[in-house]
Amino acid sequence: ISTKTRRFLEKQIQSKVGFEMSLKYEKLIRKMTLAEKAIMMSGKNTWETVDFGKYGIPSMVMSDGPHGLRRQA
């Protein structure tokens, strides 16, 4: 198999996987109430998102800026 063909096939697979993941998350978002969506956007605290166990969504630590995460106690 040529390098060009292999790259083409890899892109097709990545595209399909990305599309399937997108559908999965769209379905989850549709199930959430407006209040749950608002809570998710406001977060647990300055650094973490709220976890939603009933949707299988864990809490995540967030970071922004060019210096990455600089979490202070």
Side-chain angles (χ1 to χ4, degrees):
I1 187 169
S2 72
T3 302
K4 186 176 180 180
T5 303
R6 183 173 44 80
R7 286 185 189 151
F8 172 77
L9 292 173
E10 287 173 353
K11 285 182 182 179
Q12 293 298 312
I13 291 169
Q14 289 171 353
S15 176
K16 183 177 185 211
V17 169
F19 179 72
E20 289 172 358
M21 286 180 68
S22 176
L23 289 177
K24 173 184 173 183
Y25 296 117
E26 285 180 31
K27 288 177 186 176
L28 280 176
I29 292 167
R30 279 192 215 118
K31 290 179 184 178
M32 296 175 82
T33 66
L34 182 59
E36 289 171 330
K37 291 174 189 175
I39 290 168
M40 186 170 211
M41 293 298 107
S42 63
K44 186 188 303 186
N45 56 44
T46 304
W47 294 101
E48 297 175 89
T49 63
V50 176
D51 58 312
F52 286 94
K54 77 180 196 181
Y55 299 114
I57 302 172
S59 176
M60 295 175 275
V61 175
M62 305 301 269
S63 173
D64 67 350
H67 303 293
L69 181 64
R70 292 190 288 170
R71 190 176 191 178
Q72 298 175 355

